[in-house]
Every structure is written in structure tokens, then in C-alpha cells.
Amino acid sequence: LGGILKLPRPGLAQRLGRQGPQVLKAIDQALGYVADPRAALQPQEHFLQWQEFTVPTDSCSLLAQASQPLLHEALGWLKTKQHGLTQARFILRQGRQTSQTLDLYLAQPSQDLSQLKKLWQEKLQHQPLQQTVHSIGLEVISSEPIHSQSSSLFPGPISQS
């Protein structure tokens, strides 16, 4: 690329033919010489993801472990929306047409992964499984905006000099 940048621009544009101006503009955008406006990334409207098991399981500890990546993804999705989770639904597929749903409800919107893991583990321990589970899904049913707790850039007390 360094060699191309040393060439005279009119001659380079001519060598590239009809697409010369477009290529030069793309190079300038890549180097930051010209603005390169991009559309903002829009998160999905609804969150629902699945984790399939190679072997069906009835182990609550395996279900809790398998749900961790799903929770992590859900929280990432919520953070892009600046929301906290208030209700989540775990869907346990137990066959082709059978499933069991377990809902988590939170009084306050949360983005705390450790809190959600603990709630899910407690739910699994107190709710018996109807059959072995073939896959687990996580759906965010409701969320609410999380308000920033600090309006300053740096946390802590403001010192006056």
C-alpha cells in the first residue's frame, strides 16, 4: 500500500480505469483522510438463543453450566440496549414436541451475571425436571432501562483545588 500511496493520484486514478475514483476514495477512507460514515449497529428486537446438547441430560449442574453462555449473551444484548433484565424464560426441550419452561423474575432491572446465575441455580434445584433435556433456550421476556448511577466521568468525590 505504501508504494501505491507514493504514486501521483491523477496517474493512479487513470491506471485504475472507471473505478479509479472509487478506489482512491476507499483508500482515503481507510486511512482516515475522508469521512467514512457508517450506520449504527442496531441490536435485535428480541433475544432468544439455544444451546443444544450432544447427549440429553437430567443433571441440574450441567444445565446451569450450559446456560452460562446464554446468560452472558443475553446480558451483552441488554447492555447494548442499556437495559436490565426483569424477566427471563428458560425453555428446556425434552423431545420433539415436549418442553418445560422456567421463568426468572427480578424486582429490579439487573445486568449482574453472578446474581442471575445464582437465581437460575436456585430455580433448577427447586423445580424438578419432567424429562431429560435435549437443548436449553433463553428468552428475554422483559427488561427496563438502567439509569446511570453516576453522572460524572470519574467515580468518587470531587476534590476542589
Side-chain angles (χ1 to χ4, degrees), residues 43 47 49 67-86 88 90 106 109-117 138-140 142-143 146:
F47 183 88
Q49 285 195 3
S67 67
Q68 287 183 22
L70 296 174
L71 284 167
H72 187 72
E73 289 292 323
L75 289 179
W77 178 78
L78 287 165
K79 285 178 183 177
T80 63
K81 295 176 59 126
Q82 297 179 351
H83 277 214
L85 182 68
T86 53
F90 286 91
L106 288 88
S110 176
Q111 292 181 346
D112 184 359
L113 182 61
S114 62
Q115 176 194 20
L116 295 173
K117 281 192 226 178
L138 174 58
E139 180 178 17
V140 173
S142 65
S143 65
I146 294 238

PDB file of all heavy atoms in Angstrom, residues 43 47 49 67-86 88 90 106 109-117 138-140 142-143 146:
ATOM      1  N   PRO A  43     -29.276  -3.459  17.786  1.00  0.00           N
ATOM      2  CA  PRO A  43     -29.449  -4.786  18.375  1.00  0.00           C
ATOM      3  C   PRO A  43     -30.762  -5.419  17.908  1.00  0.00           C
ATOM      4  O   PRO A  43     -31.690  -4.723  17.486  1.00  0.00           O
ATOM      5  CB  PRO A  43     -29.482  -4.517  19.885  1.00  0.00           C
ATOM      6  CG  PRO A  43     -29.832  -3.075  20.016  1.00  0.00           C
ATOM      7  CD  PRO A  43     -29.365  -2.395  18.766  1.00  0.00           C
ATOM      8  N   PHE A  47     -34.563 -11.203  22.083  1.00  0.00           N
ATOM      9  CA  PHE A  47     -33.455 -12.129  22.356  1.00  0.00           C
ATOM     10  C   PHE A  47     -33.997 -13.518  22.636  1.00  0.00           C
ATOM     11  O   PHE A  47     -34.810 -13.723  23.540  1.00  0.00           O
ATOM     12  CB  PHE A  47     -32.632 -11.662  23.561  1.00  0.00           C
ATOM     13  CG  PHE A  47     -31.450 -12.557  23.833  1.00  0.00           C
ATOM     14  CD1 PHE A  47     -30.243 -12.328  23.212  1.00  0.00           C
ATOM     15  CD2 PHE A  47     -31.568 -13.644  24.686  1.00  0.00           C
ATOM     16  CE1 PHE A  47     -29.159 -13.164  23.434  1.00  0.00           C
ATOM     17  CE2 PHE A  47     -30.492 -14.485  24.919  1.00  0.00           C
ATOM     18  CZ  PHE A  47     -29.286 -14.242  24.290  1.00  0.00           C
ATOM     19  N   GLN A  49     -31.967 -17.444  22.298  1.00  0.00           N
ATOM     20  CA  GLN A  49     -30.864 -18.276  21.811  1.00  0.00           C
ATOM     21  C   GLN A  49     -30.969 -19.663  22.421  1.00  0.00           C
ATOM     22  O   GLN A  49     -31.531 -19.836  23.505  1.00  0.00           O
ATOM     23  CB  GLN A  49     -29.515 -17.646  22.135  1.00  0.00           C
ATOM     24  CG  GLN A  49     -29.202 -16.479  21.254  1.00  0.00           C
ATOM     25  CD  GLN A  49     -27.738 -16.088  21.320  1.00  0.00           C
ATOM     26  OE1 GLN A  49     -26.927 -16.710  21.988  1.00  0.00           O
ATOM     27  NE2 GLN A  49     -27.391 -15.034  20.604  1.00  0.00           N
ATOM     28  N   SER A  67     -26.136 -23.041  30.622  1.00  0.00           N
ATOM     29  CA  SER A  67     -26.869 -21.780  30.490  1.00  0.00           C
ATOM     30  C   SER A  67     -25.965 -20.556  30.638  1.00  0.00           C
ATOM     31  O   SER A  67     -26.371 -19.451  30.280  1.00  0.00           O
ATOM     32  CB  SER A  67     -27.987 -21.716  31.516  1.00  0.00           C
ATOM     33  OG  SER A  67     -27.453 -21.642  32.817  1.00  0.00           O
ATOM     34  N   GLN A  68     -24.753 -20.727  31.150  1.00  0.00           N
ATOM     35  CA  GLN A  68     -23.869 -19.578  31.365  1.00  0.00           C
ATOM     36  C   GLN A  68     -23.569 -18.799  30.084  1.00  0.00           C
ATOM     37  O   GLN A  68     -23.671 -17.568  30.080  1.00  0.00           O
ATOM     38  CB  GLN A  68     -22.588 -20.018  32.061  1.00  0.00           C
ATOM     39  CG  GLN A  68     -22.826 -20.354  33.514  1.00  0.00           C
ATOM     40  CD  GLN A  68     -21.550 -20.720  34.248  1.00  0.00           C
ATOM     41  OE1 GLN A  68     -20.452 -20.362  33.839  1.00  0.00           O
ATOM     42  NE2 GLN A  68     -21.701 -21.425  35.358  1.00  0.00           N
ATOM     43  N   PRO A  69     -23.221 -19.454  28.965  1.00  0.00           N
ATOM     44  CA  PRO A  69     -23.007 -18.675  27.735  1.00  0.00           C
ATOM     45  C   PRO A  69     -24.281 -17.963  27.271  1.00  0.00           C
ATOM     46  O   PRO A  69     -24.213 -16.856  26.742  1.00  0.00           O
ATOM     47  CB  PRO A  69     -22.565 -19.721  26.704  1.00  0.00           C
ATOM     48  CG  PRO A  69     -22.113 -20.889  27.489  1.00  0.00           C
ATOM     49  CD  PRO A  69     -22.867 -20.861  28.777  1.00  0.00           C
ATOM     50  N   LEU A  70     -25.431 -18.599  27.487  1.00  0.00           N
ATOM     51  CA  LEU A  70     -26.689 -17.957  27.104  1.00  0.00           C
ATOM     52  C   LEU A  70     -26.930 -16.702  27.940  1.00  0.00           C
ATOM     53  O   LEU A  70     -27.335 -15.656  27.416  1.00  0.00           O
ATOM     54  CB  LEU A  70     -27.861 -18.934  27.276  1.00  0.00           C
ATOM     55  CG  LEU A  70     -27.853 -20.181  26.395  1.00  0.00           C
ATOM     56  CD1 LEU A  70     -28.984 -21.121  26.786  1.00  0.00           C
ATOM     57  CD2 LEU A  70     -27.957 -19.798  24.932  1.00  0.00           C
ATOM     58  N   LEU A  71     -26.688 -16.793  29.245  1.00  0.00           N
ATOM     59  CA  LEU A  71     -26.848 -15.629  30.116  1.00  0.00           C
ATOM     60  C   LEU A  71     -25.877 -14.516  29.724  1.00  0.00           C
ATOM     61  O   LEU A  71     -26.243 -13.337  29.690  1.00  0.00           O
ATOM     62  CB  LEU A  71     -26.627 -16.026  31.580  1.00  0.00           C
ATOM     63  CG  LEU A  71     -27.761 -16.776  32.256  1.00  0.00           C
ATOM     64  CD1 LEU A  71     -27.295 -17.369  33.580  1.00  0.00           C
ATOM     65  CD2 LEU A  71     -28.949 -15.859  32.472  1.00  0.00           C
ATOM     66  N   HIS A  72     -24.649 -14.918  29.433  1.00  0.00           N
ATOM     67  CA  HIS A  72     -23.634 -13.943  29.034  1.00  0.00           C
ATOM     68  C   HIS A  72     -24.066 -13.206  27.759  1.00  0.00           C
ATOM     69  O   HIS A  72     -23.956 -11.977  27.662  1.00  0.00           O
ATOM     70  CB  HIS A  72     -22.293 -14.652  28.842  1.00  0.00           C
ATOM     71  CG  HIS A  72     -21.161 -13.726  28.594  1.00  0.00           C
ATOM     72  ND1 HIS A  72     -20.619 -12.928  29.566  1.00  0.00           N
ATOM     73  CD2 HIS A  72     -20.475 -13.443  27.460  1.00  0.00           C
ATOM     74  CE1 HIS A  72     -19.640 -12.212  29.052  1.00  0.00           C
ATOM     75  NE2 HIS A  72     -19.538 -12.502  27.773  1.00  0.00           N
ATOM     76  N   GLU A  73     -24.561 -13.940  26.770  1.00  0.00           N
ATOM     77  CA  GLU A  73     -25.029 -13.336  25.516  1.00  0.00           C
ATOM     78  C   GLU A  73     -26.228 -12.420  25.759  1.00  0.00           C
ATOM     79  O   GLU A  73     -26.324 -11.340  25.182  1.00  0.00           O
ATOM     80  CB  GLU A  73     -25.397 -14.425  24.500  1.00  0.00           C
ATOM     81  CG  GLU A  73     -24.219 -15.169  23.937  1.00  0.00           C
ATOM     82  CD  GLU A  73     -23.349 -14.314  23.040  1.00  0.00           C
ATOM     83  OE1 GLU A  73     -23.880 -13.478  22.293  1.00  0.00           O
ATOM     84  OE2 GLU A  73     -22.114 -14.471  23.104  1.00  0.00           O
ATOM     85  N   ALA A  74     -27.149 -12.866  26.614  1.00  0.00           N
ATOM     86  CA  ALA A  74     -28.338 -12.061  26.913  1.00  0.00           C
ATOM     87  C   ALA A  74     -27.935 -10.741  27.580  1.00  0.00           C
ATOM     88  O   ALA A  74     -28.473  -9.680  27.237  1.00  0.00           O
ATOM     89  CB  ALA A  74     -29.296 -12.836  27.810  1.00  0.00           C
ATOM     90  N   LEU A  75     -26.991 -10.803  28.508  1.00  0.00           N
ATOM     91  CA  LEU A  75     -26.553  -9.582  29.176  1.00  0.00           C
ATOM     92  C   LEU A  75     -25.820  -8.652  28.209  1.00  0.00           C
ATOM     93  O   LEU A  75     -25.969  -7.431  28.291  1.00  0.00           O
ATOM     94  CB  LEU A  75     -25.679  -9.909  30.377  1.00  0.00           C
ATOM     95  CG  LEU A  75     -26.429 -10.530  31.555  1.00  0.00           C
ATOM     96  CD1 LEU A  75     -25.474 -10.848  32.696  1.00  0.00           C
ATOM     97  CD2 LEU A  75     -27.545  -9.639  32.036  1.00  0.00           C
ATOM     98  N   GLY A  76     -25.061  -9.207  27.299  1.00  0.00           N
ATOM     99  CA  GLY A  76     -24.422  -8.382  26.275  1.00  0.00           C
ATOM    100  C   GLY A  76     -25.454  -7.667  25.419  1.00  0.00           C
ATOM    101  O   GLY A  76     -25.322  -6.481  25.100  1.00  0.00           O
ATOM    102  N   TRP A  77     -26.505  -8.391  25.053  1.00  0.00           N
ATOM    103  CA  TRP A  77     -27.599  -7.806  24.269  1.00  0.00           C
ATOM    104  C   TRP A  77     -28.290  -6.702  25.065  1.00  0.00           C
ATOM    105  O   TRP A  77     -28.574  -5.623  24.535  1.00  0.00           O
ATOM    106  CB  TRP A  77     -28.579  -8.921  23.882  1.00  0.00           C
ATOM    107  CG  TRP A  77     -29.777  -8.466  23.127  1.00  0.00           C
ATOM    108  CD1 TRP A  77     -29.849  -8.130  21.796  1.00  0.00           C
ATOM    109  CD2 TRP A  77     -31.100  -8.305  23.647  1.00  0.00           C
ATOM    110  NE1 TRP A  77     -31.134  -7.778  21.477  1.00  0.00           N
ATOM    111  CE2 TRP A  77     -31.915  -7.878  22.587  1.00  0.00           C
ATOM    112  CE3 TRP A  77     -31.667  -8.492  24.896  1.00  0.00           C
ATOM    113  CZ2 TRP A  77     -33.278  -7.634  22.744  1.00  0.00           C
ATOM    114  CZ3 TRP A  77     -33.021  -8.253  25.052  1.00  0.00           C
ATOM    115  CH2 TRP A  77     -33.812  -7.826  23.991  1.00  0.00           C
ATOM    116  N   LEU A  78     -28.540  -6.968  26.352  1.00  0.00           N
ATOM    117  CA  LEU A  78     -29.190  -5.961  27.199  1.00  0.00           C
ATOM    118  C   LEU A  78     -28.311  -4.720  27.370  1.00  0.00           C
ATOM    119  O   LEU A  78     -28.811  -3.593  27.390  1.00  0.00           O
ATOM    120  CB  LEU A  78     -29.532  -6.558  28.572  1.00  0.00           C
ATOM    121  CG  LEU A  78     -30.706  -7.532  28.574  1.00  0.00           C
ATOM    122  CD1 LEU A  78     -30.727  -8.328  29.864  1.00  0.00           C
ATOM    123  CD2 LEU A  78     -32.016  -6.798  28.368  1.00  0.00           C
ATOM    124  N   LYS A  79     -27.005  -4.913  27.486  1.00  0.00           N
ATOM    125  CA  LYS A  79     -26.098  -3.774  27.653  1.00  0.00           C
ATOM    126  C   LYS A  79     -26.100  -2.887  26.414  1.00  0.00           C
ATOM    127  O   LYS A  79     -26.013  -1.661  26.533  1.00  0.00           O
ATOM    128  CB  LYS A  79     -24.687  -4.255  27.985  1.00  0.00           C
ATOM    129  CG  LYS A  79     -24.581  -4.735  29.414  1.00  0.00           C
ATOM    130  CD  LYS A  79     -23.205  -5.256  29.742  1.00  0.00           C
ATOM    131  CE  LYS A  79     -23.189  -5.785  31.169  1.00  0.00           C
ATOM    132  NZ  LYS A  79     -21.911  -6.364  31.541  1.00  0.00           N
ATOM    133  N   THR A  80     -26.201  -3.471  25.229  1.00  0.00           N
ATOM    134  CA  THR A  80     -26.260  -2.646  24.017  1.00  0.00           C
ATOM    135  C   THR A  80     -27.529  -1.810  23.994  1.00  0.00           C
ATOM    136  O   THR A  80     -27.536  -0.722  23.419  1.00  0.00           O
ATOM    137  CB  THR A  80     -26.189  -3.495  22.724  1.00  0.00           C
ATOM    138  OG1 THR A  80     -27.311  -4.361  22.659  1.00  0.00           O
ATOM    139  CG2 THR A  80     -24.896  -4.260  22.637  1.00  0.00           C
ATOM    140  N   LYS A  81     -28.574  -2.294  24.612  1.00  0.00           N
ATOM    141  CA  LYS A  81     -29.837  -1.547  24.692  1.00  0.00           C
ATOM    142  C   LYS A  81     -29.890  -0.657  25.937  1.00  0.00           C
ATOM    143  O   LYS A  81     -30.850   0.075  26.119  1.00  0.00           O
ATOM    144  CB  LYS A  81     -31.013  -2.524  24.736  1.00  0.00           C
ATOM    145  CG  LYS A  81     -31.177  -3.340  23.476  1.00  0.00           C
ATOM    146  CD  LYS A  81     -32.299  -4.351  23.604  1.00  0.00           C
ATOM    147  CE  LYS A  81     -33.585  -3.691  23.902  1.00  0.00           C
ATOM    148  NZ  LYS A  81     -34.719  -3.930  23.080  1.00  0.00           N
ATOM    149  N   GLN A  82     -28.870  -0.766  26.809  1.00  0.00           N
ATOM    150  CA  GLN A  82     -28.815  -0.058  28.092  1.00  0.00           C
ATOM    151  C   GLN A  82     -30.037  -0.405  28.940  1.00  0.00           C
ATOM    152  O   GLN A  82     -30.676   0.451  29.531  1.00  0.00           O
ATOM    153  CB  GLN A  82     -28.689   1.452  27.879  1.00  0.00           C
ATOM    154  CG  GLN A  82     -27.415   1.834  27.170  1.00  0.00           C
ATOM    155  CD  GLN A  82     -27.287   3.308  26.926  1.00  0.00           C
ATOM    156  OE1 GLN A  82     -28.216   4.076  27.129  1.00  0.00           O
ATOM    157  NE2 GLN A  82     -26.115   3.719  26.484  1.00  0.00           N
ATOM    158  N   HIS A  83     -30.322  -1.720  28.972  1.00  0.00           N
ATOM    159  CA  HIS A  83     -31.442  -2.244  29.749  1.00  0.00           C
ATOM    160  C   HIS A  83     -30.947  -3.256  30.764  1.00  0.00           C
ATOM    161  O   HIS A  83     -29.855  -3.804  30.628  1.00  0.00           O
ATOM    162  CB  HIS A  83     -32.453  -2.940  28.832  1.00  0.00           C
ATOM    163  CG  HIS A  83     -33.416  -2.019  28.187  1.00  0.00           C
ATOM    164  ND1 HIS A  83     -34.705  -2.374  27.921  1.00  0.00           N
ATOM    165  CD2 HIS A  83     -33.299  -0.734  27.750  1.00  0.00           C
ATOM    166  CE1 HIS A  83     -35.337  -1.366  27.351  1.00  0.00           C
ATOM    167  NE2 HIS A  83     -34.504  -0.367  27.227  1.00  0.00           N
ATOM    168  N   GLY A  84     -31.775  -3.505  31.757  1.00  0.00           N
ATOM    169  CA  GLY A  84     -31.522  -4.549  32.732  1.00  0.00           C
ATOM    170  C   GLY A  84     -32.636  -5.579  32.651  1.00  0.00           C
ATOM    171  O   GLY A  84     -33.784  -5.262  32.323  1.00  0.00           O
ATOM    172  N   LEU A  85     -32.307  -6.805  32.960  1.00  0.00           N
ATOM    173  CA  LEU A  85     -33.258  -7.913  32.878  1.00  0.00           C
ATOM    174  C   LEU A  85     -34.266  -7.846  34.019  1.00  0.00           C
ATOM    175  O   LEU A  85     -33.896  -7.635  35.174  1.00  0.00           O
ATOM    176  CB  LEU A  85     -32.496  -9.241  32.950  1.00  0.00           C
ATOM    177  CG  LEU A  85     -33.323 -10.509  32.821  1.00  0.00           C
ATOM    178  CD1 LEU A  85     -33.889 -10.630  31.413  1.00  0.00           C
ATOM    179  CD2 LEU A  85     -32.488 -11.714  33.157  1.00  0.00           C
ATOM    180  N   THR A  86     -35.542  -8.026  33.690  1.00  0.00           N
ATOM    181  CA  THR A  86     -36.575  -8.125  34.720  1.00  0.00           C
ATOM    182  C   THR A  86     -37.304  -9.466  34.651  1.00  0.00           C
ATOM    183  O   THR A  86     -37.823  -9.930  35.655  1.00  0.00           O
ATOM    184  CB  THR A  86     -37.605  -6.978  34.622  1.00  0.00           C
ATOM    185  OG1 THR A  86     -38.126  -6.931  33.300  1.00  0.00           O
ATOM    186  CG2 THR A  86     -36.975  -5.650  34.988  1.00  0.00           C
ATOM    187  N   ALA A  88     -36.843 -13.429  32.530  1.00  0.00           N
ATOM    188  CA  ALA A  88     -36.235 -14.308  31.533  1.00  0.00           C
ATOM    189  C   ALA A  88     -36.952 -15.649  31.576  1.00  0.00           C
ATOM    190  O   ALA A  88     -37.440 -16.071  32.619  1.00  0.00           O
ATOM    191  CB  ALA A  88     -34.754 -14.504  31.811  1.00  0.00           C
ATOM    192  N   PHE A  90     -36.387 -19.667  30.583  1.00  0.00           N
ATOM    193  CA  PHE A  90     -35.562 -20.783  30.134  1.00  0.00           C
ATOM    194  C   PHE A  90     -36.501 -21.842  29.581  1.00  0.00           C
ATOM    195  O   PHE A  90     -37.473 -22.228  30.238  1.00  0.00           O
ATOM    196  CB  PHE A  90     -34.737 -21.353  31.286  1.00  0.00           C
ATOM    197  CG  PHE A  90     -33.581 -20.474  31.674  1.00  0.00           C
ATOM    198  CD1 PHE A  90     -33.730 -19.501  32.645  1.00  0.00           C
ATOM    199  CD2 PHE A  90     -32.353 -20.612  31.059  1.00  0.00           C
ATOM    200  CE1 PHE A  90     -32.690 -18.680  33.003  1.00  0.00           C
ATOM    201  CE2 PHE A  90     -31.296 -19.791  31.408  1.00  0.00           C
ATOM    202  CZ  PHE A  90     -31.454 -18.824  32.379  1.00  0.00           C
ATOM    203  N   LEU A 106     -37.233 -10.696  38.335  1.00  0.00           N
ATOM    204  CA  LEU A 106     -36.387  -9.841  39.158  1.00  0.00           C
ATOM    205  C   LEU A 106     -37.165  -8.580  39.518  1.00  0.00           C
ATOM    206  O   LEU A 106     -37.843  -7.998  38.668  1.00  0.00           O
ATOM    207  CB  LEU A 106     -35.114  -9.451  38.409  1.00  0.00           C
ATOM    208  CG  LEU A 106     -34.102 -10.585  38.238  1.00  0.00           C
ATOM    209  CD1 LEU A 106     -34.376 -11.361  36.986  1.00  0.00           C
ATOM    210  CD2 LEU A 106     -32.716 -10.032  38.222  1.00  0.00           C
ATOM    211  N   PRO A 109     -34.325  -4.146  37.653  1.00  0.00           N
ATOM    212  CA  PRO A 109     -33.577  -4.499  36.442  1.00  0.00           C
ATOM    213  C   PRO A 109     -32.120  -4.794  36.795  1.00  0.00           C
ATOM    214  O   PRO A 109     -31.521  -4.090  37.597  1.00  0.00           O
ATOM    215  CB  PRO A 109     -33.672  -3.253  35.563  1.00  0.00           C
ATOM    216  CG  PRO A 109     -34.697  -2.379  36.180  1.00  0.00           C
ATOM    217  CD  PRO A 109     -34.884  -2.804  37.586  1.00  0.00           C
ATOM    218  N   SER A 110     -31.578  -5.849  36.210  1.00  0.00           N
ATOM    219  CA  SER A 110     -30.222  -6.262  36.561  1.00  0.00           C
ATOM    220  C   SER A 110     -29.410  -6.645  35.332  1.00  0.00           C
ATOM    221  O   SER A 110     -29.939  -7.219  34.383  1.00  0.00           O
ATOM    222  CB  SER A 110     -30.276  -7.454  37.514  1.00  0.00           C
ATOM    223  OG  SER A 110     -28.977  -7.925  37.803  1.00  0.00           O
ATOM    224  N   GLN A 111     -28.113  -6.332  35.413  1.00  0.00           N
ATOM    225  CA  GLN A 111     -27.132  -6.795  34.441  1.00  0.00           C
ATOM    226  C   GLN A 111     -26.036  -7.580  35.154  1.00  0.00           C
ATOM    227  O   GLN A 111     -24.956  -7.768  34.624  1.00  0.00           O
ATOM    228  CB  GLN A 111     -26.506  -5.614  33.695  1.00  0.00           C
ATOM    229  CG  GLN A 111     -27.433  -4.878  32.772  1.00  0.00           C
ATOM    230  CD  GLN A 111     -26.741  -3.738  32.042  1.00  0.00           C
ATOM    231  OE1 GLN A 111     -25.645  -3.321  32.389  1.00  0.00           O
ATOM    232  NE2 GLN A 111     -27.393  -3.228  31.022  1.00  0.00           N
ATOM    233  N   ASP A 112     -26.323  -8.068  36.342  1.00  0.00           N
ATOM    234  CA  ASP A 112     -25.356  -8.762  37.188  1.00  0.00           C
ATOM    235  C   ASP A 112     -25.370 -10.260  36.877  1.00  0.00           C
ATOM    236  O   ASP A 112     -26.298 -10.976  37.258  1.00  0.00           O
ATOM    237  CB  ASP A 112     -25.679  -8.507  38.657  1.00  0.00           C
ATOM    238  CG  ASP A 112     -24.656  -9.107  39.603  1.00  0.00           C
ATOM    239  OD1 ASP A 112     -23.685  -9.741  39.137  1.00  0.00           O
ATOM    240  OD2 ASP A 112     -24.830  -8.934  40.827  1.00  0.00           O
ATOM    241  N   LEU A 113     -24.327 -10.724  36.206  1.00  0.00           N
ATOM    242  CA  LEU A 113     -24.244 -12.118  35.790  1.00  0.00           C
ATOM    243  C   LEU A 113     -24.245 -13.070  36.979  1.00  0.00           C
ATOM    244  O   LEU A 113     -24.939 -14.090  36.965  1.00  0.00           O
ATOM    245  CB  LEU A 113     -22.999 -12.343  34.923  1.00  0.00           C
ATOM    246  CG  LEU A 113     -22.792 -13.742  34.371  1.00  0.00           C
ATOM    247  CD1 LEU A 113     -23.947 -14.157  33.472  1.00  0.00           C
ATOM    248  CD2 LEU A 113     -21.478 -13.817  33.608  1.00  0.00           C
ATOM    249  N   SER A 114     -23.498 -12.757  38.024  1.00  0.00           N
ATOM    250  CA  SER A 114     -23.430 -13.658  39.180  1.00  0.00           C
ATOM    251  C   SER A 114     -24.793 -13.771  39.868  1.00  0.00           C
ATOM    252  O   SER A 114     -25.188 -14.861  40.290  1.00  0.00           O
ATOM    253  CB  SER A 114     -22.352 -13.213  40.162  1.00  0.00           C
ATOM    254  OG  SER A 114     -22.640 -11.935  40.665  1.00  0.00           O
ATOM    255  N   GLN A 115     -25.523 -12.678  39.957  1.00  0.00           N
ATOM    256  CA  GLN A 115     -26.868 -12.722  40.547  1.00  0.00           C
ATOM    257  C   GLN A 115     -27.794 -13.616  39.721  1.00  0.00           C
ATOM    258  O   GLN A 115     -28.521 -14.444  40.270  1.00  0.00           O
ATOM    259  CB  GLN A 115     -27.460 -11.314  40.626  1.00  0.00           C
ATOM    260  CG  GLN A 115     -28.898 -11.284  41.130  1.00  0.00           C
ATOM    261  CD  GLN A 115     -29.592  -9.954  40.894  1.00  0.00           C
ATOM    262  OE1 GLN A 115     -29.184  -9.159  40.050  1.00  0.00           O
ATOM    263  NE2 GLN A 115     -30.651  -9.726  41.648  1.00  0.00           N
ATOM    264  N   LEU A 116     -27.743 -13.475  38.408  1.00  0.00           N
ATOM    265  CA  LEU A 116     -28.619 -14.270  37.538  1.00  0.00           C
ATOM    266  C   LEU A 116     -28.247 -15.755  37.591  1.00  0.00           C
ATOM    267  O   LEU A 116     -29.131 -16.614  37.574  1.00  0.00           O
ATOM    268  CB  LEU A 116     -28.555 -13.738  36.112  1.00  0.00           C
ATOM    269  CG  LEU A 116     -29.103 -12.324  35.931  1.00  0.00           C
ATOM    270  CD1 LEU A 116     -28.846 -11.828  34.523  1.00  0.00           C
ATOM    271  CD2 LEU A 116     -30.576 -12.269  36.273  1.00  0.00           C
ATOM    272  N   LYS A 117     -26.956 -16.052  37.660  1.00  0.00           N
ATOM    273  CA  LYS A 117     -26.527 -17.457  37.776  1.00  0.00           C
ATOM    274  C   LYS A 117     -27.063 -18.077  39.059  1.00  0.00           C
ATOM    275  O   LYS A 117     -27.570 -19.203  39.052  1.00  0.00           O
ATOM    276  CB  LYS A 117     -24.997 -17.552  37.774  1.00  0.00           C
ATOM    277  CG  LYS A 117     -24.360 -17.442  36.435  1.00  0.00           C
ATOM    278  CD  LYS A 117     -22.903 -17.860  36.579  1.00  0.00           C
ATOM    279  CE  LYS A 117     -21.966 -16.924  35.908  1.00  0.00           C
ATOM    280  NZ  LYS A 117     -20.567 -17.296  36.071  1.00  0.00           N
ATOM    281  N   LEU A 138     -32.867 -19.621  26.037  1.00  0.00           N
ATOM    282  CA  LEU A 138     -33.060 -18.481  26.931  1.00  0.00           C
ATOM    283  C   LEU A 138     -33.715 -17.365  26.131  1.00  0.00           C
ATOM    284  O   LEU A 138     -33.221 -16.979  25.069  1.00  0.00           O
ATOM    285  CB  LEU A 138     -31.729 -17.996  27.509  1.00  0.00           C
ATOM    286  CG  LEU A 138     -31.787 -16.722  28.350  1.00  0.00           C
ATOM    287  CD1 LEU A 138     -32.732 -16.867  29.544  1.00  0.00           C
ATOM    288  CD2 LEU A 138     -30.402 -16.333  28.818  1.00  0.00           C
ATOM    289  N   GLU A 139     -34.830 -16.885  26.664  1.00  0.00           N
ATOM    290  CA  GLU A 139     -35.565 -15.797  26.035  1.00  0.00           C
ATOM    291  C   GLU A 139     -35.712 -14.662  27.039  1.00  0.00           C
ATOM    292  O   GLU A 139     -36.084 -14.897  28.189  1.00  0.00           O
ATOM    293  CB  GLU A 139     -36.939 -16.296  25.604  1.00  0.00           C
ATOM    294  CG  GLU A 139     -37.799 -15.271  24.937  1.00  0.00           C
ATOM    295  CD  GLU A 139     -39.143 -15.820  24.489  1.00  0.00           C
ATOM    296  OE1 GLU A 139     -39.560 -16.901  24.967  1.00  0.00           O
ATOM    297  OE2 GLU A 139     -39.783 -15.152  23.675  1.00  0.00           O
ATOM    298  N   VAL A 140     -35.394 -13.461  26.608  1.00  0.00           N
ATOM    299  CA  VAL A 140     -35.618 -12.287  27.453  1.00  0.00           C
ATOM    300  C   VAL A 140     -37.067 -11.866  27.229  1.00  0.00           C
ATOM    301  O   VAL A 140     -37.451 -11.482  26.128  1.00  0.00           O
ATOM    302  CB  VAL A 140     -34.648 -11.132  27.112  1.00  0.00           C
ATOM    303  CG1 VAL A 140     -35.011  -9.875  27.880  1.00  0.00           C
ATOM    304  CG2 VAL A 140     -33.222 -11.553  27.421  1.00  0.00           C
ATOM    305  N   SER A 142     -38.836  -9.599  29.457  1.00  0.00           N
ATOM    306  CA  SER A 142     -38.981  -8.160  29.692  1.00  0.00           C
ATOM    307  C   SER A 142     -37.694  -7.589  30.276  1.00  0.00           C
ATOM    308  O   SER A 142     -36.920  -8.281  30.934  1.00  0.00           O
ATOM    309  CB  SER A 142     -40.163  -7.872  30.621  1.00  0.00           C
ATOM    310  OG  SER A 142     -39.936  -8.398  31.903  1.00  0.00           O
ATOM    311  N   SER A 143     -37.515  -6.323  30.008  1.00  0.00           N
ATOM    312  CA  SER A 143     -36.359  -5.582  30.510  1.00  0.00           C
ATOM    313  C   SER A 143     -36.773  -4.130  30.687  1.00  0.00           C
ATOM    314  O   SER A 143     -37.782  -3.689  30.141  1.00  0.00           O
ATOM    315  CB  SER A 143     -35.186  -5.699  29.544  1.00  0.00           C
ATOM    316  OG  SER A 143     -35.497  -5.084  28.302  1.00  0.00           O
ATOM    317  N   ILE A 146     -31.770   0.878  32.336  1.00  0.00           N
ATOM    318  CA  ILE A 146     -30.926   1.040  33.528  1.00  0.00           C
ATOM    319  C   ILE A 146     -30.444   2.475  33.511  1.00  0.00           C
ATOM    320  O   ILE A 146     -29.886   2.937  32.526  1.00  0.00           O
ATOM    321  CB  ILE A 146     -29.728   0.074  33.498  1.00  0.00           C
ATOM    322  CG1 ILE A 146     -30.220  -1.333  33.593  1.00  0.00           C
ATOM    323  CG2 ILE A 146     -28.701   0.447  34.531  1.00  0.00           C
ATOM    324  CD1 ILE A 146     -29.708  -2.143  34.720  1.00  0.00           C
TER     325      ILE A 146
END
